[in-house]
């Protein structure tokens, strides 16, 4: 699958079969995250990969009761150092992960609705890191597609800003 196909196929998946993700596939998507660009190449992130089912279950209330977290093959929890562009850097890395996962037939969903302090406490995150963003990864149990996106012409201004 080329990158354009992965971009087109990717959509938020909120239903998973609970099937185990093979270690090689997890390694591949984590390498894709690792290869992402970051400001000054600081790579100010770590990824905590939770696959243990009872732990995933315990994370559901921390993720604002988003029940599909329990059925995912993994919850990737992105934690960042206190650097100017950390949040942007992590977002790029997780987007790489998401596209790589799509290419392997896996679904993903960004999880921004969660309690960072409780997540950090539960996963033993040290104080010098912030729990910034999470992403479920797993085999989809539902057939979904992305909601409608704005047209490119609505989003793009040629040469300078111009009201439509
Ligand atoms: C920063 C961020 C946080 C998000 N948090 C959640 C979340 O907590 N739960 C959820 O179901 N979807 C979450 N989403 C997914 C968005 O709802 C989804 O990307 C959007 O509706 C567009 O759909 P698509 O991903 O299928 O293109 C989040 C997306 C982003 C980028």
């Amino acid at each position: 699958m080329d990158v354009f196909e992965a971009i087109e196929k990717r959509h938020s998946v909120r239903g998973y079969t609970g099937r185990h993700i093979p270690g090689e596939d997890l390694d591949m998507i984590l390498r894709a995250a690792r290869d992402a660009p970051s400001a000054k190449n600081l790579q100010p992130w770590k990824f905590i990969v939770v696959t243990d089912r009872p732990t995933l279950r315990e994370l559901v209330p921390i993720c604002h009761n988003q029940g599909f977290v329990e059925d995912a093959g993994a919850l990737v929890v992105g934690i960042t150092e206190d650097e100017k562009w950390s949040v942007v850097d992590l977002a790029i890395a997780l987007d790489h992960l998401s596209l790589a996962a799509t290419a392997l037939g896996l679904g993903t969903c960004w999880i921004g609705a969660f309690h960072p302090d409780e997540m950090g406490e539960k996963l033993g995150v040290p104080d010098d890191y912030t729990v910034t963003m999470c992403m479920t990864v797993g085999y989809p149990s539902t057939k979904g597609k992305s909601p409608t996106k704005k047209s490119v012409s609505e989003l793009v201004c040629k040469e300078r800003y111009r009201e439509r």
Side-chain angles (χ1 to χ4, degrees):
M1 189 183 296
D2 71 21
V3 69
F4 292 102
E5 198 181 340
I7 288 168
E8 201 179 310
K9 282 220 162 93
R10 186 217 59 84
H11 59 270
S12 292
V13 171
R14 300 184 179 89
Y16 297 99
T17 63
R19 196 174 130 204
H20 167 79
I21 304 171
E24 317 84 75
D25 287 3
L26 261 184
D27 288 349
M28 269 179 92
I29 64 174
L30 290 165
R31 277 202 300 274
R34 184 277 313 270
D35 288 342
S38 61
K40 298 187 197 160
N41 195 31
L42 286 176
Q43 305 166 68
W45 51 51
K46 282 191 190 293
F47 307 97
I48 302 176
V49 183
V50 181
T51 59
D52 177 62
R53 190 72 49 210
T55 308
L56 288 170
R57 193 170 302 131
E58 286 169 20
L59 294 181
V60 168
I62 295 176
C63 295
H64 294 198
N65 292 318
Q66 300 189 75
F68 60 89
V69 167
E70 176 178 348
D71 303 319
L75 183 71
V76 177
V77 179
I79 65 173
T80 50
E81 294 163 21
D82 184 19
E83 295 289 346
K84 180 177 179 191
W85 295 107
S86 289
V87 174
V88 173
D89 291 338
L90 179 71
I92 298 167
L94 287 177
D95 207 53
H96 272 212
L97 187 152
S98 172
L99 293 176
T102 304
L104 293 176
L106 291 158
T108 59
C109 189
W110 292 79
I111 302 290
F114 67 92
H115 300 287
D117 292 346
E118 289 176 38
M119 185 70 83
E121 176 78 28
K122 179 88 198 152
L123 302 180
V125 175
D127 287 346
D128 47 345
Y129 279 93
T130 302
V131 185
T132 299
M133 186 56 67
C134 308
M135 183 171 276
T136 51
V137 187
Y139 294 98
S141 63
T142 51
K143 247 194 150 47
K145 63 181 183 70
S146 268
T148 309
K149 305 287 174 166
K150 294 178 182 174
S151 67
V152 172
S153 64
E154 266 182 282
L155 306 174
V156 175
C157 302
K158 299 248 166 76
E159 310 306 341
R160 54 180 279 117
Y161 184 83
R162 192 175 297 129
E163 297 284 358
R164 283 168 50 82

